[in-house]
Amino acid sequence: MEFRAFLTSLGTSFVIFVVLMFLFTWLSRKPANYVVYYPNRILKGLDPFEGSKRTRNPFAWIREALSSTEADVIRISVLGILVLSGLVLLPVLLPVAATDHSLHLTVNETSQGTFNDLDKLSMGHVGANSPRLWAFVTATYLASIVAYCLLWKAYNHVSDLRAAALESPEVKAEQFAIVVRDIPRPPEGQTRKEQVDSYFKAIYPETFYRSMVVTNNKKVNKIYEELEGYKKKLARAEAIFAESKKNGNPEGTRPTNRIGFLGLIGKKVDSIEYYNEKINELIPKLEAEQKVTLREKQQPSALVFFTSRVTAASASQSLHAQMVNTWTVLDAPEPRQLIWTNLPKKYYEREIRQYFVYIIVFLTIFFYMIPIGFISAFTTLENLKKLLPFTKPIVKQKVVSTVLEAYLPQLALIIFLALLPKFLLFLSKTEGIPSESHVTRAASGKYFYFTVLNVFIGVTVGSSLFGTFKQIEKDPNSIVPLLATSLPKSATFFLTFVALKFFVGYGLELSQIVPLIIYHLKKKYLCKTEAEVKEAWAPGDLGYATRFPNDMLIVTLVFCYSVIAPIIIPFGVVYFGLGWLVLRNQVLKVYVPSFESYGRMWPHIFIRIMSALLLYQVTMLGFLGVKKFPYTVLLIPLPIISIIFCVVCDKKFYRSFQSTALEVACKELKEVPNMESVFRSFIPPSLSAEKSDDDQFEDALSQVSRTGSTL
């Protein structure tokens, strides 16, 4: 990519961001758009502008985000690493690289004429075995030490935040429950419920409250969803009928629909009457199926409730049976997080599923590298003209070629990666994981390694793929030095990639243009009831499964290029600094969390950051080796130190993230928990009776310790 194209892409991205920011300032002040820009506040019953000045100043949101009390530890930690590293590395490494003239006489032999003004600021501009390489060795150590110090501090801080959240005096239902899996076959003459009750009553006689046996809810869920669907259709039909009365016809026009395939064929009926009939048919059918499900479809899994959260925390960490494949216990997630269909899966089935999913992920990563490598090679202008000769007249146009050079490879890569997250979430659920937050953590881990292996390595090698096949064919061992020598040549691509992510990506995030358009289209043409309108603007969560891996990819890129091409550090600083501001605004005003895992994501993010740091250190070893620097061996201790640092952090901190510390769980509550409310919060909606009838649940929901239902 030529320097001119790089400046074009950077300038265009910045202009797009400024335009989107002004659009956000203008659109977010219109009352009709409040539900898109302030749904979090509205759902909490707050005024959209509570605690802030109502102004059209395009930078007002920045002041509000800075003044908020919400903490984003991850971005602050990474931002701190990059800022401190940049302050140390940039003033030293840029002059060292730029003033080296040893390659000027042989530039065509070493880089096929690909050097441009940005290349002169990279380590690739320094000659082989040059004494200047000492600066890069020292910089590698300095950047690593800064990362160790700030990550240790961040781990301590997140650990304190987790403890503060868990020891809150507020009653949280999940803190009084555990999930029990792999329940053995009950003895002859004993029901599953009686088996669970007697087992835990014997172990925890003072604090055991009651149990809830997991059931196969497939059929009852289907009836429940059908019933809820008809209720929504009835509300819509009634709204249409009420609206017709306002259009000059006092009696109104009753809506009709066809009852055949997709409502397109078949007999035409009165919608209100038809939906009422269907609802009246399904209610007794649902009640009958609820009773059948609770009595006859019990599974080898249960939820067990205690009157003490210390007991629940202790039970979730204890070994309850001699064999690990029976009476497996873990702490309960929030009721909204439970994946009910995964709870009954047996121990060995889960193990087999997990290994099977790992194999699929490995194959996906491996085979995805091929198209991504080709995309990266195919989307350079020279290769585009070679492979598609008919594009030459178009590509020769100066404006077209500049835009294509600036954006084509990065956009192709971003679109290609967008196809993957849902597939990885599906695979993670297939493993048998019992909660949504755990599935998100598992999927984000898979996505991170996928993006690093395919984007970082795939693009780096792919950028010179067509010209190096013969070289690799002659000498397969040349793949390692090929990666090292390709890194500086890919620096400009990744600079543009990072700039596109923070300017255009965060501009779209802040402006909410796409959700705004979708909301207004739905409201105008599809929504007839208040419930439908609310559903149209209802916000999602932050999208942890894809957002964190994307952040970690940027961390990897910036780490690996921080010494090789230190000009990337300011781009990383802007990415995380701007992201910190934009996402603080979005978390406070837009997004609503779909679950709470009390910081359990952090250890997984820590491992990914350390993986990026380790890859960076190994990359520097390889690159300095290619530069034939005799003192490269001095970097060998760094990967070893990183591994030791990981082990120490794991031993010191991870256990408290895996389980709840008893000293945290024993903190006093400000009120006596209503155990019946705690218990009923876990009942699936499809099994909830409109009338509170305990007899309905007598077979699957334990009545043991009824007299001890309160503390």
Side-chain angles (χ1 to χ4, degrees):
M1 180 184 292
E2 294 182 1
F3 187 60
R4 174 172 52 83
F6 170 72
L7 290 180
T8 300
S9 69
L10 192 61
T12 306
S13 297
F14 177 72
V15 170
I16 291 172
F17 175 76
V18 171
V19 170
L20 290 172
M21 187 171 68
F22 276 96
L23 274 175
F24 160 73
T25 305
W26 175 53
L27 293 171
S28 65
R29 295 317 192 206
K30 292 183 174 294
N33 299 334
Y34 285 175
V35 291
V36 174
Y37 292 101
Y38 307 98
N40 187 310
R41 289 181 180 272
I42 291 170
L43 289 173
K44 291 178 181 177
L46 301 174
D47 183 87
F49 298 98
E50 185 172 325
S52 63
K53 295 181 180 179
R54 189 169 180 172
T55 173
R56 291 189 183 276
N57 181 349
F59 304 102
W61 65 274
I62 298 177
R63 184 180 64 251
E64 293 168 20
L66 288 171
S67 64
S68 68
T69 58
E70 296 289 331
D72 190 337
V73 180
I74 298 159
R75 289 174 181 274
I76 284 294
S77 302
V78 175
L79 184 61
I81 292 170
L82 298 182
V83 169
L84 292 178
S85 299
L87 291 175
V88 174
L89 302 185
L90 286 171
V92 176
L93 299 186
L94 292 183
V96 167
T99 57
D100 192 305
H101 304 294
S102 59
L103 289 183
H104 278 201
L105 296 176
T106 59
V107 65
N108 288 334
E109 287 79 9
T110 58
S111 62
Q112 290 85 42
T114 60
F115 268 51
N116 58 39
D117 292 337
L118 283 178
D119 293 322
K120 294 175 184 178
L121 302 177
S122 74
M123 189 176 168
H125 193 237
V126 179
N129 198 16
S130 170
R132 292 171 180 254
L133 293 173
W134 272 110
F136 295 90
V137 172
T138 306
T140 306
Y141 267 95
L142 288 173
S144 299
I145 291 169
V146 168
Y148 298 146
C149 293
L150 291 185
L151 286 174
W152 180 270
K153 183 179 178 182
Y155 222 140
N156 263 307
H157 185 47
V158 180
S159 182
D160 291 340
L161 289 175
R162 172 175 165 80
L166 288 173
E167 66 186 19
S168 166
E170 302 291 334
V171 175
K172 297 180 175 68
E174 64 273 13
Q175 291 185 315
F176 294 87
I178 60 172
V179 173
V180 184
R181 308 172 86 179
D182 308 309
I183 300 173
R185 189 183 299 276
E188 188 71 29
Q190 194 177 51
T191 65
R192 181 85 66 185
K193 174 186 71 68
E194 292 169 341
Q195 177 195 21
V196 175
D197 291 346
S198 60
Y199 185 86
F200 284 95
K201 184 69 173 176
I203 301 174
Y204 308 99
E206 300 298 325
T207 53
F208 174 70
Y209 175 65
R210 62 195 295 191
S211 65
M212 178 189 299
V213 176
V214 174
T215 53
N216 184 344
N217 299 337
K218 184 176 181 180
K219 189 171 181 181
V220 75
N221 283 344
K222 184 178 179 181
I223 298 172
Y224 175 78
E225 289 167 6
E226 189 179 0
L227 176 61
E228 291 300 305
Y230 280 122
K231 286 180 178 179
K232 288 181 181 179
K233 289 178 180 179
L234 176 62
R236 181 183 177 85
E238 289 175 341
I240 292 172
F241 181 51
E243 187 178 343
S244 70
K245 293 180 180 180
K246 300 175 184 178
N247 298 329
N249 182 6
E251 296 182 359
T253 303
R254 294 182 70 84
T256 59
N257 66 281
R258 296 186 182 275
I259 59 175
F261 179 72
L262 296 177
L264 301 175
I265 58 174
K267 181 183 176 183
K268 184 179 285 189
V269 296
D270 183 289
S271 296
I272 296 175
E273 291 180 1
Y274 177 73
Y275 296 142
N276 269 314
E277 288 174 7
K278 283 293 184 181
I279 290 169
N280 292 332
E281 286 176 14
L282 287 172
I283 288 175
K285 188 177 178 181
L286 176 64
E287 291 173 351
E289 186 57 37
Q290 286 176 338
K291 292 179 180 179
V292 171
T293 299
L294 291 167
R295 291 179 180 174
E296 300 176 9
K297 299 182 179 180
Q298 297 178 19
Q299 303 288 301
S301 182
L303 290 160
V304 176
F305 299 86
F306 302 94
T307 56
S308 164
R309 65 179 182 178
V310 176
T311 306
S314 177
S316 69
Q317 304 171 41
S318 302
L319 182 66
H320 285 77
Q322 287 181 311
M323 298 299 166
V324 295
N325 62 328
T326 58
W327 296 104
T328 308
V329 173
L330 63 151
D331 56 333
E334 294 173 302
R336 59 183 172 171
Q337 285 196 53
L338 278 169
I339 304 174
W340 294 94
T341 54
N342 281 349
L343 295 183
K345 288 181 171 55
K346 288 287 192 175
Y347 178 83
Y348 291 114
E349 181 188 354
R350 298 196 301 269
E351 291 292 306
I352 293 170
R353 281 170 172 265
Q354 189 177 57
Y355 287 117
F356 184 68
V357 166
Y358 287 168
I359 292 170
I360 293 176
V361 170
F362 171 77
L363 293 174
T364 304
I365 290 173
F366 180 78
F367 286 110
Y368 235 59
M369 288 182 72
I370 298 171
I372 283 188
F374 272 99
I375 281 177
S376 121
F378 182 80
T379 50
T380 62
L381 284 187
E382 290 303 316
N383 289 326
L384 194 65
K385 286 186 283 188
K386 288 178 185 177
L387 297 172
L388 300 175
F390 62 85
T391 62
K392 286 183 181 180
I394 302 172
V395 171
K396 284 181 181 179
Q397 300 294 323
K398 186 176 181 180
V399 176
V400 174
S401 65
T402 302
V403 172
L404 286 177
E405 264 193 319
Y407 285 116
L408 185 60
Q410 291 81 6
L411 286 174
L413 182 61
I414 289 170
I415 292 168
F416 211 69
L417 289 175
L419 304 174
L420 197 67
K422 288 189 181 297
F423 176 63
L424 295 180
L425 281 168
F426 167 76
L427 286 179
S428 297
K429 282 189 178 181
T430 306
E431 290 182 45
I433 294 172
S435 69
E436 294 289 351
S437 60
H438 193 172
V439 164
T440 298
R441 293 197 297 274
S444 69
K446 295 177 180 71
Y447 193 54
F448 166 72
Y449 292 115
F450 179 91
T451 54
V452 168
L453 290 171
N454 283 285
V455 177
F456 178 67
I457 296 176
V459 169
T460 301
V461 176
S463 62
S464 53
L465 187 67
F466 290 131
T468 54
F469 269 139
K470 290 183 180 179
Q471 180 184 343
I472 295 172
E473 187 179 354
K474 290 178 182 177
D475 181 14
N477 293 327
S478 65
I479 187 69
V480 175
L482 171 64
L483 177 60
T485 53
S486 297
L487 280 170
K489 300 176 186 179
S490 302
T492 312
F493 173 89
F494 286 124
L495 286 174
T496 309
F497 179 77
V498 175
L500 191 65
K501 294 279 281 185
F502 66 68
F503 276 143
V504 179
Y506 285 131
L508 289 171
E509 176 68 62
L510 182 65
S511 65
Q512 292 285 292
I513 287 295
V514 176
L516 182 70
I517 294 171
I518 292 173
Y519 162 68
H520 281 294
L521 287 174
K522 284 184 175 179
K523 184 181 178 183
K524 184 173 179 62
Y525 298 108
L526 299 178
C527 298
K528 298 296 181 181
T529 66
E530 286 299 318
E532 289 176 339
V533 172
K534 186 175 181 179
E535 189 177 340
W537 61 259
D541 62 18
L542 205 55
Y544 302 100
T546 53
R547 193 175 297 278
F548 283 145
N550 281 324
D551 286 350
M552 294 304 102
L553 172 62
I554 303 301
V555 169
T556 304
L557 293 175
V558 177
F559 267 157
C560 289
Y561 280 95
S562 61
V563 173
I564 293 174
I567 192 66
I568 201 173
I569 294 177
F571 287 77
V573 169
V574 175
Y575 176 86
F576 285 101
L578 188 59
W580 178 68
L581 282 173
V582 169
L583 292 180
R584 277 171 77 96
N585 178 80
Q586 303 302 85
V587 166
L588 290 170
K589 298 174 183 176
V590 179
Y591 294 119
V592 176
S594 59
F595 58 79
E596 176 56 68
S597 63
Y598 304 106
R600 280 188 170 178
M601 181 69 86
W602 167 253
H604 298 267
I605 292 171
F606 169 80
I607 289 296
R608 273 67 177 181
I609 295 175
M610 288 306 302
S611 299
L613 186 63
L614 194 61
L615 181 60
Y616 152 64
Q617 292 163 349
V618 171
T619 300
M620 287 305 301
L621 270 167
F623 192 68
L624 284 166
V626 170
K627 287 289 185 181
K628 300 178 182 178
F629 189 55
Y631 299 101
T632 302
V633 293
L634 294 176
L635 289 181
I636 292 177
L638 265 184
I640 299 171
I641 293 170
S642 293
I643 293 170
I644 293 172
F645 179 73
C646 269
V647 172
V648 170
C649 287
D650 181 76
K651 296 294 184 185
K652 179 176 175 63
F653 297 110
Y654 184 67
R655 183 70 189 278
S656 65
F657 283 83
Q658 191 178 29
S659 307
T660 302
L662 298 186
E663 69 173 359
V664 171
C666 73
K667 299 295 182 180
E668 290 186 7
L669 296 167
K670 70 178 182 181
E671 62 183 59
V672 176
N674 183 332
M675 291 305 300
E676 193 65 20
S677 296
V678 168
F679 171 77
R680 290 195 171 274
S681 66
F682 280 89
I683 299 176
S686 60
L687 294 178
S688 296
E690 293 190 8
K691 297 178 180 179
S692 179
D693 181 9
D694 280 332
D695 292 337
Q696 178 182 353
F697 301 97
E698 106 179 82
D699 285 327
L701 313 183
S702 166
Q703 301 300 310
V704 174
S705 192
R706 294 288 294 159
T707 57
S709 60
T710 58
L711 288 175

